[in-house]
């Protein structure tokens, strides 16, 4: 995934629902409730950072978390859904 600079697809919006205390992906005719740190990962998908940069930043923020293994896999799944480009 080196060289890929993920960014949310144009029709996809990341929002925090304060009432529920969770992050949401707003899609055309669909809402996806994000779990765990998914929102923190997607907030770093700004089209500027490559996947290794995102992993490095999350590793710094969450020492000891398995971000190196989980984040690229998560981003790949979200990309397959068409929510990232």
């Amino acid at each position: 995934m080196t060289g890929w600079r993920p960014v949310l697809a144009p029709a996809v919006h990341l929002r925090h629902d304060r009432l529920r205390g969770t992050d949401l992906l707003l899609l055309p005719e669909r809402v996806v409730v994000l779990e765990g740190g998914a929102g923190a990962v997607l907030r770093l998908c700004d089209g500027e950072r490559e996947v290794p940069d995102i992993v490095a930043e999350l590793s710094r923020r969450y020492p000891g978390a398995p971000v190196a293994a989980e984040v690229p896999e998560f981003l790949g799944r979200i990309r397959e859904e068409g929510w990232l480009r």
Side-chain angles (χ1 to χ4, degrees), residues 6 39-47 49 53-54 57-58 61:
V41 174
L42 293 176
R43 278 188 185 82
L44 294 174
C45 295
D46 56 8
R49 296 174 178 97
D53 301 325
I54 293 168
E57 176 61 24
L58 291 167
R61 290 183 190 181

Side-chain angles (χ1 to χ4, degrees), residues 1-71:
M1 288 195 179
T2 300
W4 177 39
R5 295 172 188 234
V7 64
L8 289 175
V12 178
H13 303 281
L14 177 62
R15 298 285 183 263
H16 183 75
D17 182 336
R18 283 188 258 165
L19 187 61
R20 295 181 192 165
T22 191
D23 291 313
L24 307 170
L25 274 184
L26 306 178
L27 311 158
E29 301 181 25
R30 185 172 176 193
V31 175
V32 176
V33 178
L34 299 174
E35 296 180 0
V41 174
L42 293 176
R43 278 188 185 82
L44 294 174
C45 295
D46 56 8
E48 301 286 322
R49 296 174 178 97
E50 292 185 10
V51 174
D53 301 325
I54 293 168
V55 168
E57 176 61 24
L58 291 167
S59 294
R60 185 187 65 74
R61 290 183 190 181
Y62 308 104
V67 296
E70 293 179 1
V71 169

